[in-house]
Amino acid sequence: MSDQAKSTSFGQAASAYESGRPGYPAEAVAWLLERVREPGRGLRVADVGAGTGKLTRSVVELGADVVAVDPDADMLAILRENARGVPTFVGTAESLPLPDSALDAVVMGQAWHWVDVEPASREVARVLRSGGELGLIWNIRDDSVDWVKRLTAAMGGSNAEALLATTGPRAAEPFEGLEHREWRWDRQITLPQLRDLVGSRSDVITASPEKRAGIDAAVDGVVASVPGLADGGAVALPYVTHAFRTRRP
């Protein structure tokens, strides 16, 4: 299956995505936007590839006026339930249904690895004002912890994990380079949430029934080795959040 088909598969598991995926550390989101926040001036932000609104809600909490853009209407339906009052639009980073120079920032959570970098960079620059910010952020499970490493092996790696472990993301003209910071933190997760995390991944959503059964069995083996998780409790799932930012000239 093509990456494009995988990138638009999440609506089939929108509820699992909302339950299983973590939010973002407030300090990381604030860092993405700190250079365009000015006292006494409103902040206009688009969350592109917004999904169910995990990042959208964090940006709203900073007091910004936010619009959400995603290629999947099913994901946006969940977003509207959880971020009431946020305008939503079907669109992509390469084709944004937004006017020229309208925004102080465009942010994307768990999404830039799906884009075609050159046209997406040009299109994001079009909707940003001069000096506006492009902010990219990913939550990556911390595989330095043994059971988490085994969980990743059971689920299979993702495009985002491969990107962050190798070259890292890039932005094209007119943007010049990306500034990077990271945060380490833990999320308390229950077994139902862990199963939803597994079920929200594009490779799992699009897997054949036979492959999905194999993934589920491998995950069950990991779960059985984690004290407390299979008994109805919660465990700490460690993450590294990677944030990148660059300004439109």
Side-chain angles (χ1 to χ4, degrees), residues 91-111:
T92 66
E94 298 87 349
S95 181
L96 293 168
L98 302 169
D100 294 355
S101 306
L103 301 169
D104 299 297
V106 169
V107 295
M108 297 185 68
Q110 312 291 129

Side-chain angles (χ1 to χ4, degrees), residues 167-236:
T167 62
R170 68 180 183 89
E173 294 182 353
F175 299 103
E176 297 181 359
L178 289 164
E179 183 181 354
H180 174 224
R181 279 193 62 184
E182 61 184 56
W183 288 260
R184 293 179 180 273
W185 59 287
D186 292 341
R187 176 198 182 192
Q188 292 295 312
I189 192 168
T190 64
L191 181 55
Q193 289 172 320
L194 179 61
R195 295 202 187 283
D196 282 340
L197 171 63
V198 174
S200 73
R201 292 165 62 87
S202 61
D203 284 343
V204 176
I205 296 168
T206 58
S208 68
E210 294 78 14
K211 184 176 181 180
R212 175 65 188 268
I215 293 170
D216 289 341
V219 170
D220 286 345
V222 176
V223 167
S225 72
V226 182
L229 186 57
D231 300 328
V235 298

Side-chain angles (χ1 to χ4, degrees), residues 39-224:
R41 183 179 178 277
L43 185 63
R44 301 162 300 170
V45 180
D47 181 9
V48 179
T52 63
K54 296 283 186 175
L55 181 56
T56 307
R57 281 166 269 174
S58 294
V59 177
V60 168
E61 288 171 2
L62 292 175
D65 292 324
V66 187
V67 298
V69 179
D70 195 89
D72 196 314
D74 290 334
M75 296 290 270
L76 291 175
I78 299 292
L79 185 150
R80 287 192 292 272
E81 294 176 5
N82 294 299
R84 296 189 182 277
V86 172
T88 61
F89 302 92
V90 173
T92 66
E94 298 87 349
S95 181
L96 293 168
L98 302 169
D100 294 355
S101 306
L103 301 169
D104 299 297
V106 169
V107 295
M108 297 185 68
Q110 312 291 129
W112 188 254
H113 57 282
W114 294 117
V115 310
D116 189 343
V117 171
E118 281 75 16
S121 296
R122 290 193 298 270
E123 180 69 347
V124 168
R126 178 186 67 79
V127 302
L128 286 175
R129 64 168 173 83
S130 178
E133 196 87 68
L134 169 61
L136 312 175
I137 192 167
W138 286 268
N139 289 319
I140 303 295
R141 291 178 314 285
D142 186 355
D143 282 351
S144 67
V145 176
D146 177 68
W147 79 268
V148 180
K149 182 177 181 179
R150 289 186 286 113
L151 176 66
T152 296
M155 293 191 295
S158 70
N159 290 351
E161 290 157 6
L163 177 68
L164 271 295
T166 53
T167 62
R170 68 180 183 89
E173 294 182 353
F175 299 103
E176 297 181 359
L178 289 164
E179 183 181 354
H180 174 224
R181 279 193 62 184
E182 61 184 56
W183 288 260
R184 293 179 180 273
W185 59 287
D186 292 341
R187 176 198 182 192
Q188 292 295 312
I189 192 168
T190 64
L191 181 55
Q193 289 172 320
L194 179 61
R195 295 202 187 283
D196 282 340
L197 171 63
V198 174
S200 73
R201 292 165 62 87
S202 61
D203 284 343
V204 176
I205 296 168
T206 58
S208 68
E210 294 78 14
K211 184 176 181 180
R212 175 65 188 268
I215 293 170
D216 289 341
V219 170
D220 286 345
V222 176
V223 167

